[in-house]
Amino acid sequence: MPNYRMHLLVCGGTGCHATKSNVLINELKRVLSEKGLEDEIQVVETGCFGFCEKGPIVKVYPDNVFYIEVQPDDSLEIIEEHIIKGRKLERLLFVEPSLNQKLEEQLDMPFYKKQLRVALKNCGFIDPEDIDEYISTEGYHALGKVLTSMTPDAVIEEIKISGLRGRGGGGFPTGLKWEFTKKSSADQKYIVCNADEGDPGAFMDRSILEGDPHIVLEAMAIAGFAVGASKGYIYIRAEYPLAIQRLSIAIEQARNYGLLGNDIMGTGFDFDVEVDLGAGAFVCGEETALIKSIEGNRGEPLTKPPFPAQSGVWGKPTCVNNVETFANIPAIINKGGHWFKKIGTEKSPGTKVFALAGKINNVGLVEVPMGTTMRDIVFDIGGGIRHGKQFKAVQTGGPSGGCIPYSQIDIPVDYDSLVSIGSMMGSGGLIVLDEDDCMVNIAKFYMEFIIDESCGKCTPCRVGTKRLHEILTKITEGKATEECINHLVELSDTIKDTSLCGLGQTAPNPVLSTISYFLDEYKAHVIDKHCPAGVCEALLSYTVVSENCIGCTACLRACPVNCIKGAPKEIHKIVQSDCIKCGACYDICRFEAIMKK
Amino acid sequence: MYNKGLSQSNFDALGDYIASLPEKKGALMPVLHKAQNLFGYLPKEVQLFICERLDVPTSKIYGVISFYSFFTMKQRGQYVINICMGTACFVRKADDVVKEFEKKLGIKVGETSKNMMYSLEALRCVGACGLAPVVMVNDKIYGHVEKKDVKKILAEQSN
């Protein structure tokens, strides 16, 4: 094996693949071999660096220089300048907008400075398709330690000491879950990895599976040893083809190395893993629905108890944990539960991975200690709001969560604080909203999602969310009265109280939290028939801004109902009574002379 | 890759796949994935075939297919245009992109053009939120799509 002096780490996550990082990798390799450097410099396709907005990313290791938005055509210049001449390529460096300064090293970037990587430690560092690279970062060391020097009870005790809570959203203590499963006696038990990341705007689990699949396999085997299970299922969304492919490669390699299968490391412990594909049903993220789906049924949730720890897959005791939860396990075993407990807050130890998205400058994946404030996440790490707009809210927890307004932005992010202000951690999607987003419309968006995804088993969720959506639609169309807001609250409370599963019980959260923090906006819609954000089309009017209009007639020709009057070089006028609010004039005007309000 | 028709060779391939399964218990979902991969969709003929080979009632097969949005019983166009309607894409104006595709193709979301060229669909998050709004045409991902890019994306397919 050649002894490389330098490595070019290229992001091979779904985001960067879409911006042709695979073409870039081939081009880098081609140029390197042309220059005769292929035995000196290695190109590594890694998992996600997290800085998805600026992909494809190339990191030069060990220099730690971070290049953004690298195109295949840049390969020659990177190699000639940086690799051969040792000069950094200025034009591809990241410019920190707040400092207006080019930053050379990854750790100088505010995006990375406040992060602490436990679950993501290998993402963007190792080649996920090479088990040797995983092993070289202490990979499978924890499994070896568990199998050769610990009892199942000691493993569970260590996890309990760590205080690790389920990262899928519920926040249930992982150690307890393992203990319950261990205590159920049966001839066969199962470990399930929940990789059905259905929350729109969340991509933490996908990135872990794409960037470091072995960490999940190792943790599942540890869990199997602790609870007494010999078989694991990974239930993953079919929409994640790259993660599925990398997992399959990882499983194959682990089997070949004797790290999965029979008699692992010669200790007599058997454990193997099977990948099962979901098929696009959000409710399957709920553990009982997921189990029904693994068995080949419609994914409808069941009443609990019995809990999966007593009766899960095929009626056998089953322990279901989320991808990110598993990704924390090897570090806890290697460094000890007490080490983990010191990170984060008392009741929510450890770190949490968030997917930052929406109207924020640095869209991407971040991992921070629990208890970091939302302000730090949005403004320091996330780089603030795009295009200098005003922050309005952060939506957490997806369709089950709620909004955090500016007044609550200094809240420390952990399970209990978020619940106390009417939101929830959820799986970790953070969608940032700005002044141009209408909160009623956001609530309506989530209700549409829930209507699509409700499994239909319980009436409150199946019918109730439809009624919520109808009322919200009426509000956005200016046809509602103040009474409608009360109806929303009343119906929401009923749905929460009477639904069977987590999906139904949390479905009204986006409505309730927008009402509690943005009641003014709801009132503006129902009383003044006005949408303050300028989103709800039925409540908008288009007018010509006389100062900007040059009389080019572009809007006049674009109007499908001929409601714009005027002549060349004359200021135009929109006849409001005839306007159908299609926005064609607004779209075509190049002089910002049409105002939408 | 989406339309391969109900040819005998596809039925043979599906039959071989089912026969190769070590266990039929719980195999329905993988079999449906395989079948949709082969045929592009899951019409009645395919459901009946699976029913016989897997010994599962067609009512159950129909129930499972209709439950999961990934499975489709309708034949789709040569190019399946999927517009991500996850939250991140939604707040970056993915609905404008949807409207533009609907206008240009003359079909609504969930429909297929008469000449079987295009199907228009909305999906919930591909997890590439950094590229929002995202459009997928078959397996190809387009990022940061604006209304004005729609024409270009369509032109690329017909070339």
Side-chain angles (χ1 to χ4, degrees), chain A residues 318-557:
Chain A
T318 301
C319 179
V320 185
N321 287 130
N322 152 277
V323 173
E324 190 188 334
T325 313
F326 278 127
N328 282 294
I329 300 288
I332 292 172
I333 298 293
N334 281 330
K335 298 182 182 174
H338 290 290
W339 164 81
F340 190 81
K341 183 101 179 90
K342 280 189 213 134
I343 307 169
T345 63
E346 197 197 332
K347 288 193 173 154
S348 306
T351 59
K352 178 77 190 88
V353 183
F354 291 104
L356 273 176
K359 307 286 184 65
I360 192 160
N361 277 317
N362 304 335
V363 170
L365 207 65
V366 304
E367 182 172 357
V368 291
M370 293 273 193
T372 304
T373 66
M374 198 53 93
R375 184 189 295 278
D376 280 348
I377 297 175
V378 172
F379 288 97
D380 289 356
I381 297 173
I385 311 300
R386 275 153 65 95
H387 311 310
K389 297 266 184 178
Q390 279 290 314
F391 170 93
K392 187 179 247 175
V394 189
Q395 213 283 343
T396 70
S400 310
C403 290
I404 299 171
Y406 193 73
S407 60
Q408 301 280 358
I409 198 164
D410 287 308
I411 194 154
V413 178
D414 62 48
Y415 292 98
D416 312 295
S417 312
L418 288 181
V419 170
S420 75
I421 58 163
S423 186
M424 68 183 276
M425 180 79 87
S427 53
L430 293 183
I431 310 280
V432 179
L433 307 173
D434 71 7
E435 55 189 298
D436 293 338
D437 291 306
C438 166
M439 300 312 283
V440 183
N441 195 41
I442 294 287
K444 190 177 129 199
F445 166 80
Y446 280 115
M447 251 351 93
E448 264 162 40
F449 180 88
I450 295 291
I451 291 172
D452 270 359
E453 297 296 341
S454 171
C455 79
K457 187 169 177 168
C458 318
T459 320
C461 173
R462 185 185 65 241
V463 183
T465 55
K466 264 212 164 92
R467 296 291 94 85
L468 285 178
H469 182 257
E470 282 166 9
I471 301 173
L472 290 165
T473 306
K474 259 166 75 180
I475 296 177
T476 57
E477 288 175 350
K479 294 175 186 162
T481 60
E482 254 189 291
E483 193 56 25
C484 291
I485 302 177
N486 298 336
H487 289 158
L488 282 177
V489 176
E490 203 180 315
L491 182 52
S492 295
D493 288 339
T494 309
I495 297 171
K496 282 181 90 138
D497 290 343
T498 53
S499 295
L500 171 67
C501 81
L503 186 143
Q505 287 160 10
T506 57
N509 281 355
V511 177
L512 289 173
S513 93
T514 47
I515 291 179
S516 85
Y517 293 118
F518 298 94
L519 186 60
D520 288 354
E521 246 179 81
Y522 276 84
K523 284 193 167 162
H525 281 78
V526 294
I527 300 170
D528 310 331
K529 308 294 176 199
H530 171 64
C531 174
V535 172
C536 301
E537 277 178 12
L539 304 178
L540 297 178
S541 61
Y542 290 89
T543 46
V544 175
V545 184
S546 326
E547 304 88 74
N548 293 353
C549 180
I550 61 153
C552 70
T553 73
C555 60
L556 193 146
R557 283 175 280 132

Side-chain angles (χ1 to χ4, degrees), chain B:
Chain B
M1 63 171 285
Y2 285 86
N3 281 315
K4 294 162 192 162
L6 300 176
S7 67
Q8 190 53 45
S9 63
N10 279 340
F11 279 108
D12 291 345
L14 184 61
D16 291 347
Y17 173 77
I18 294 172
S20 75
L21 291 170
E23 203 176 355
K24 288 185 181 169
K25 191 173 88 167
L28 181 55
M29 295 276 284
V31 168
L32 291 175
H33 274 292
K34 179 76 185 178
Q36 183 154 307
N37 230 328
L38 286 167
F39 298 99
Y41 66 124
L42 301 167
K44 194 173 157 193
E45 295 83 346
V46 176
Q47 295 177 36
L48 288 170
F49 181 85
I50 295 171
C51 154
E52 273 172 30
R53 298 296 172 100
L54 216 49
D55 202 17
V56 174
T58 13
S59 56
K60 181 177 170 178
I61 296 175
Y62 179 83
V64 170
I65 293 173
S66 58
F67 184 85
Y68 295 97
S69 61
F70 197 82
F71 297 134
T72 172
M73 288 181 257
K74 277 194 288 188
Q75 196 170 4
R76 292 186 290 184
Q78 190 181 347
Y79 299 104
V80 179
I81 301 167
N82 256 306
I83 301 151
C84 179
M85 283 300 275
T87 324
C89 291
F90 175 75
V91 301
R92 288 196 183 178
K93 302 268 182 280
D95 46 347
D96 284 354
V97 178
V98 172
K99 281 184 205 148
E100 188 67 11
F101 270 111
E102 290 184 335
K103 206 166 107 188
K104 285 265 179 313
L105 294 172
I107 52 173
K108 296 270 170 213
V109 168
E111 294 178 349
T112 298
S113 63
K114 281 210 181 80
N115 60 5
M116 296 307 284
M117 276 289 275
Y118 299 104
S119 292
L120 196 56
E121 288 173 16
L123 62 73
R124 299 289 185 192
C125 201
V126 288
C129 306
L131 305 173
V134 174
V135 171
M136 270 176 86
V137 182
N138 293 351
D139 290 334
K140 189 164 183 211
I141 295 181
Y142 295 86
H144 301 298
V145 178
E146 288 177 46
K147 223 166 138 178
K148 63 175 170 52
D149 303 323
V150 168
K151 206 172 153 186
K152 206 171 63 197
I153 293 174
L154 288 175
E156 232 178 85
Q157 315 310 325
S158 48
N159 281 338

Side-chain angles (χ1 to χ4, degrees), chain A residues 191-230:
Chain A
I191 300 293
V192 172
C193 173
N194 183 349
D196 191 48
E197 191 173 44
D199 173 2
F203 49 97
M204 298 76 48
D205 295 346
R206 194 211 70 209
S207 298
I208 292 172
L209 291 170
E210 281 176 7
D212 197 11
H214 285 286
I215 203 167
V216 177
L217 300 180
E218 180 179 10
M220 287 179 75
I222 293 170
F225 174 76
V227 308
S230 61

Side-chain angles (χ1 to χ4, degrees), chain A residues 223-277:
Chain A
F225 174 76
V227 308
S230 61
K231 169 131 199 202
Y233 292 97
I234 300 177
Y235 185 84
I236 183 169
R237 296 180 77 199
E239 289 89 338
Y240 287 173
L242 188 62
I244 296 166
Q245 182 198 340
R246 298 231 167 111
L247 260 178
S248 310
I249 294 171
I251 291 171
E252 203 50 48
Q253 290 177 343
R255 280 184 190 146
N256 289 340
Y257 274 50
L259 297 166
L260 281 180
N262 290 334
D263 192 21
I264 294 173
M265 298 185 189
T267 58
F269 171 63
D270 303 337
F271 189 79
D272 210 346
V273 171
E274 177 184 312
V275 176
D276 272 6
L277 303 194

